[in-house]
Amino acid sequence: MKIGVFDSGVGGLSVLKQIKEKIDFADVIYYGDSLNSPYGSKSVEEIQKLCLKIAEFLIDNRVNIIVVACNTATAAALETLKERFTSVPIIGVVEPGAAIAIKESKNKKIGVLSTPLTAKSKVYEKAIKKINPKSEVFQKGCELLCPMIEKGWESSEKNLNLLKEYIHQLPEEIDTLVLGCTHYPLIRDDIEILIDKKIVDPAEEVAMQVLFELNKLALRTGFKKEKKEKVKVDYFVSGDIEIFKKVGERFLGEKLSNVYQPLTD
Ligand code: DGL
């Protein structure tokens, strides 16, 4: 079995990490669209176009499931992708994130840090209120975080000050903070220093949903799940491979081999 995972760059690695921890019988194709990153400052139409191409690439490479490991792409293109590609299940990151946020929050006042597009789309507010209409959701769009993480968070001296500025724009009354951009778990340690709230990373719940879908597929097709010695991940990176490797290796704590540049037309 093969899992297709994609993001605008290194962010989806936070989802990949959880998938690798929970699923040992399927290989992965990871697509990082760093050439077109950040998605968060693009239009919905542009993002849909990019996502349709990536999904096509993954399906051509025979994946059994697609994980949209990007909140911005989930907000802008999940429904379009589901309409266009019906042969495989397609999972986004927002609904799983909303579900854990509601589970974790006691006062149901929830903050969400995300890209500007995700914040503007109000996907989290809608998904959280669908589960609990009485909850309150405060979204902050953080334009500069994703590009800084993509380049290597440590390389910027202003990183902590900027992060502090964004975080302080959320109201004090929230008791839970959702990392509503898959890039943010890469800087979770710094976020935890700056805010004393329950932090929710949707990635673990996303991985559980992927496992659930693959189990269903195995039952339906008679596929025998066998533990692999080592799960193989092929990485396709549209932008700078070396930067992707540097940031990715640091986060995953392992060498990244099998990193390729996808053929583009
Ligand atoms: N990791 C993406 C997300 O979860 C970042 C999108 C971007 O490139 O701006 O939203």
Side-chain angles (χ1 to χ4, degrees):
M1 276 193 183
K2 251 196 241 175
I3 305 169
V5 179
F6 80 86
D7 175 50
S8 64
V10 291
L13 296 178
S14 61
V15 178
L16 173 71
K17 195 174 187 175
Q18 291 295 329
I19 288 176
K20 279 175 73 189
E21 272 176 28
K22 295 197 168 40
I23 302 170
D24 58 13
F25 57 88
D27 289 327
V28 180
I29 297 186
Y30 183 94
Y31 193 109
D33 194 12
S34 45
L35 185 69
N36 295 302
S37 158
Y39 279 8
S41 317
K42 290 192 159 44
S43 71
V44 167
E45 293 71 26
E46 276 176 295
I47 297 169
Q48 286 177 348
K49 226 166 126 185
L50 293 167
C51 292
L52 284 168
K53 268 192 135 174
I54 297 170
E56 211 169 281
F57 172 87
L58 293 172
I59 285 175
D60 284 350
N61 278 281
R62 306 195 171 285
V63 299
N64 303 94
I65 186 166
I66 293 178
V67 184
V68 184
C70 173
N71 292 267
T72 312
T74 301
L78 183 64
E79 290 316 312
T80 309
L81 290 172
K82 281 185 174 174
E83 274 164 29
R84 180 71 62 89
F85 302 102
T86 50
S87 61
V88 297
I90 304 180
I91 289 183
V93 283
V94 173
E95 279 188 8
I100 329 179
I102 278 293
K103 215 159 97 191
E104 294 290 347
S105 170
K106 291 202 168 61
N107 69 4
K108 308 300 173 207
K109 294 182 200 292
I110 297 164
V112 184
L113 286 184
S114 71
T115 65
L117 189 141
T118 304
K120 224 171 94 195
S121 74
K122 296 196 190 307
V123 268
Y124 269 99
E125 189 175 334
K126 287 177 204 154
I128 289 171
K129 286 197 165 161
K130 205 165 136 191
I131 308 171
N132 183 332
K134 289 208 179 100
S135 50
E136 282 180 69
V137 182
F138 305 89
Q139 288 243 196
K140 177 68 201 147
C142 313
E143 187 163 15
L144 300 173
L145 291 187
C146 177
M148 284 165 80
I149 296 166
E150 198 60 36
K151 273 195 216 111
W153 181 242
E154 297 71 27
S155 61
S156 164
E157 280 169 23
K158 294 192 203 117
N159 54 15
L160 277 186
N161 280 339
L162 186 77
L163 185 58
K164 202 191 274 174
E165 237 176 76
Y166 285 134
I167 286 177
H168 284 175
Q169 289 176 54
L170 288 166
E172 187 48 45
E173 60 194 299
I174 61 165
D175 72 349
T176 302
L177 174 69
V178 181
L179 305 183
C181 168
T182 52
H183 280 69
Y184 302 167
L186 277 73
I187 58 165
R188 183 175 178 139
D189 290 349
D190 283 346
I191 295 174
E192 275 174 350
I193 292 171
L194 295 170
I195 189 165
D196 187 21
K197 310 281 179 193
K198 180 88 203 168
I199 293 185
V200 165
D201 173 3
E204 200 181 328
E205 183 61 23
V206 174
M208 292 304 294
Q209 287 200 5
V210 176
L211 179 60
F212 177 75
E213 288 295 335
L214 291 186
N215 281 339
K216 259 194 341 200
L217 184 67
L219 270 177
R220 207 171 61 229
T221 58
F223 173 85
K224 251 181 81 202
K225 295 189 296 173
E226 269 165 33
K227 183 177 178 343
K228 287 175 179 282
E229 200 63 39
K230 194 173 187 303
V231 164
K232 182 171 177 256
V233 185
D234 284 327
Y235 298 89
F236 290 88
V237 178
S238 61
D240 190 317
I241 285 186
E242 288 316 312
I243 295 179
F244 178 89
K245 272 174 128 175
K246 199 176 122 209
V247 178
E249 285 175 356
R250 196 185 166 113
F251 175 66
L252 294 174
E254 62 182 38
K255 275 253 159 276
L256 299 191
S257 35
N258 311 335
V259 187
Y260 313 101
Q261 198 101 55
L263 295 173
T264 45
D265 44 40

Short mmCIF file of all heavy atoms in Angstrom, two decimals, residues 8 31 40 61 71 77 93 136 139 164 172 177 181 189 193-194 219 223 237 243 248 258 262:
data_model
loop_
_atom_site.label_atom_id
_atom_site.label_comp_id
_atom_site.label_asym_id
_atom_site.label_seq_id
_atom_site.Cartn_x
_atom_site.Cartn_y
_atom_site.Cartn_z
N SER A 8 2.78 22.46 1.07
CA SER A 8 3.47 23.48 0.29
C SER A 8 4.98 23.42 0.52
O SER A 8 5.72 24.20 -0.07
CB SER A 8 2.97 24.87 0.69
OG SER A 8 3.29 25.10 2.04
N TYR A 31 5.08 14.87 -1.20
CA TYR A 31 5.32 15.93 -2.19
C TYR A 31 5.34 17.28 -1.46
O TYR A 31 4.36 17.68 -0.82
CB TYR A 31 4.19 15.94 -3.23
CG TYR A 31 4.50 16.77 -4.46
CD1 TYR A 31 4.76 16.18 -5.69
CD2 TYR A 31 4.53 18.16 -4.40
CE1 TYR A 31 5.05 16.94 -6.82
CE2 TYR A 31 4.82 18.93 -5.51
CZ TYR A 31 5.08 18.32 -6.72
OH TYR A 31 5.36 19.07 -7.82
N GLY A 40 -0.28 30.24 1.69
CA GLY A 40 -1.14 31.10 2.51
C GLY A 40 -1.35 32.50 1.99
O GLY A 40 -2.25 33.20 2.42
N ASN A 61 1.22 7.93 -9.42
CA ASN A 61 2.20 7.09 -8.71
C ASN A 61 1.53 6.04 -7.82
O ASN A 61 2.14 5.51 -6.90
CB ASN A 61 3.15 7.97 -7.89
CG ASN A 61 4.25 8.54 -8.76
OD1 ASN A 61 5.22 7.87 -9.09
ND2 ASN A 61 4.07 9.79 -9.19
N ASN A 71 -3.06 22.91 6.03
CA ASN A 71 -4.35 23.51 6.40
C ASN A 71 -4.87 24.44 5.32
O ASN A 71 -6.06 24.49 5.03
CB ASN A 71 -4.21 24.30 7.70
CG ASN A 71 -3.95 23.40 8.89
OD1 ASN A 71 -4.87 22.98 9.57
ND2 ASN A 71 -2.69 23.06 9.13
N ALA A 77 -8.90 23.76 -1.09
CA ALA A 77 -9.03 22.80 -2.20
C ALA A 77 -9.54 21.41 -1.83
O ALA A 77 -9.74 20.60 -2.73
CB ALA A 77 -7.66 22.66 -2.88
N VAL A 93 -6.65 18.18 7.06
CA VAL A 93 -6.16 18.27 8.44
C VAL A 93 -7.07 19.08 9.37
O VAL A 93 -6.89 19.05 10.59
CB VAL A 93 -4.73 18.85 8.49
CG1 VAL A 93 -3.71 17.82 8.08
CG2 VAL A 93 -4.59 20.10 7.64
N GLU A 136 -16.18 29.26 21.17
CA GLU A 136 -15.71 30.50 20.55
C GLU A 136 -14.33 30.25 19.94
O GLU A 136 -13.47 29.64 20.59
CB GLU A 136 -15.61 31.60 21.60
CG GLU A 136 -16.95 32.21 21.97
CD GLU A 136 -16.76 33.29 23.01
OE1 GLU A 136 -16.19 34.35 22.68
OE2 GLU A 136 -17.16 33.03 24.16
N GLN A 139 -9.11 33.22 15.48
CA GLN A 139 -8.08 32.86 14.50
C GLN A 139 -7.08 33.99 14.31
O GLN A 139 -7.47 35.15 14.18
CB GLN A 139 -8.74 32.60 13.15
CG GLN A 139 -9.50 31.33 13.10
CD GLN A 139 -8.94 30.34 12.09
OE1 GLN A 139 -9.60 29.41 11.73
NE2 GLN A 139 -7.72 30.54 11.61
N LYS A 164 6.11 36.03 19.16
CA LYS A 164 5.49 36.62 20.35
C LYS A 164 4.40 37.61 19.94
O LYS A 164 3.30 37.61 20.48
CB LYS A 164 6.58 37.36 21.15
CG LYS A 164 6.19 37.53 22.62
CD LYS A 164 7.11 38.48 23.33
CE LYS A 164 8.35 37.81 23.87
NZ LYS A 164 9.32 38.73 24.44
N GLU A 172 -6.46 36.38 25.96
CA GLU A 172 -5.95 35.65 27.12
C GLU A 172 -6.91 34.52 27.54
O GLU A 172 -6.51 33.48 28.06
CB GLU A 172 -5.73 36.66 28.26
CG GLU A 172 -5.04 36.13 29.51
CD GLU A 172 -3.79 35.32 29.24
OE1 GLU A 172 -2.96 35.73 28.42
OE2 GLU A 172 -3.63 34.23 29.87
N LEU A 177 -4.79 26.13 22.20
CA LEU A 177 -4.27 26.74 20.98
C LEU A 177 -4.02 25.66 19.93
O LEU A 177 -3.27 24.71 20.17
CB LEU A 177 -2.94 27.47 21.27
CG LEU A 177 -2.24 28.03 20.03
CD1 LEU A 177 -3.02 29.21 19.45
CD2 LEU A 177 -0.82 28.47 20.36
N CYS A 181 -1.44 25.31 11.15
CA CYS A 181 -0.59 25.26 9.96
C CYS A 181 0.40 24.15 10.26
O CYS A 181 0.99 24.12 11.35
CB CYS A 181 0.14 26.60 9.78
SG CYS A 181 1.46 26.53 8.54
N ASP A 189 8.52 23.95 20.20
CA ASP A 189 9.26 24.26 21.44
C ASP A 189 9.22 25.75 21.72
O ASP A 189 9.01 26.17 22.86
CB ASP A 189 10.73 23.82 21.32
CG ASP A 189 10.84 22.30 21.34
OD1 ASP A 189 9.83 21.64 21.64
OD2 ASP A 189 11.93 21.78 21.04
N ILE A 193 7.23 27.93 24.81
CA ILE A 193 7.90 28.87 25.73
C ILE A 193 7.05 30.14 25.89
O ILE A 193 6.97 30.73 26.94
CB ILE A 193 9.31 29.26 25.18
CG1 ILE A 193 10.23 28.04 25.24
CG2 ILE A 193 9.90 30.44 25.94
CD1 ILE A 193 11.55 28.26 24.51
N LEU A 194 6.37 30.52 24.80
CA LEU A 194 5.68 31.80 24.78
C LEU A 194 4.22 31.77 25.24
O LEU A 194 3.63 32.79 25.52
CB LEU A 194 5.74 32.40 23.37
CG LEU A 194 7.14 32.77 22.88
CD1 LEU A 194 7.12 33.10 21.41
CD2 LEU A 194 7.69 33.95 23.68
N LEU A 219 -9.48 -4.56 4.44
CA LEU A 219 -10.61 -5.48 4.64
C LEU A 219 -11.36 -5.71 3.33
O LEU A 219 -11.71 -6.83 2.97
CB LEU A 219 -11.60 -4.89 5.65
CG LEU A 219 -11.37 -5.23 7.12
CD1 LEU A 219 -12.39 -4.51 7.99
CD2 LEU A 219 -11.49 -6.75 7.33
N PHE A 223 -6.21 -7.26 1.21
CA PHE A 223 -4.77 -6.95 1.32
C PHE A 223 -4.25 -7.38 2.69
O PHE A 223 -4.86 -7.09 3.72
CB PHE A 223 -4.57 -5.43 1.14
CG PHE A 223 -3.16 -4.96 1.39
CD1 PHE A 223 -2.21 -5.01 0.37
CD2 PHE A 223 -2.77 -4.49 2.63
CE1 PHE A 223 -0.91 -4.57 0.60
CE2 PHE A 223 -1.47 -4.06 2.87
CZ PHE A 223 -0.54 -4.10 1.85
N VAL A 237 10.32 17.17 -4.25
CA VAL A 237 10.38 18.56 -3.80
C VAL A 237 10.51 19.47 -5.02
O VAL A 237 11.48 19.35 -5.78
CB VAL A 237 11.60 18.75 -2.85
CG1 VAL A 237 11.70 20.20 -2.41
CG2 VAL A 237 11.48 17.82 -1.65
N ILE A 243 17.74 22.80 0.88
CA ILE A 243 17.09 23.45 2.04
C ILE A 243 16.03 22.53 2.63
O ILE A 243 15.92 22.36 3.85
CB ILE A 243 16.45 24.81 1.64
CG1 ILE A 243 17.57 25.78 1.21
CG2 ILE A 243 15.67 25.41 2.81
CD1 ILE A 243 17.08 27.13 0.77
N GLY A 248 14.16 19.42 6.97
CA GLY A 248 13.47 18.16 7.20
C GLY A 248 14.26 17.22 8.09
O GLY A 248 13.72 16.60 9.01
N ASN A 258 16.41 9.46 -0.95
CA ASN A 258 15.28 9.42 -1.91
C ASN A 258 14.58 10.77 -2.03
O ASN A 258 13.35 10.85 -1.94
CB ASN A 258 14.20 8.39 -1.52
CG ASN A 258 14.76 7.05 -1.18
OD1 ASN A 258 15.85 6.69 -1.63
ND2 ASN A 258 14.06 6.31 -0.37
N PRO A 262 10.51 16.69 -8.89
CA PRO A 262 9.51 16.15 -9.81
C PRO A 262 9.65 16.78 -11.19
O PRO A 262 10.12 17.91 -11.30
CB PRO A 262 8.18 16.57 -9.16
CG PRO A 262 8.51 17.74 -8.32
CD PRO A 262 9.95 17.61 -7.90
#
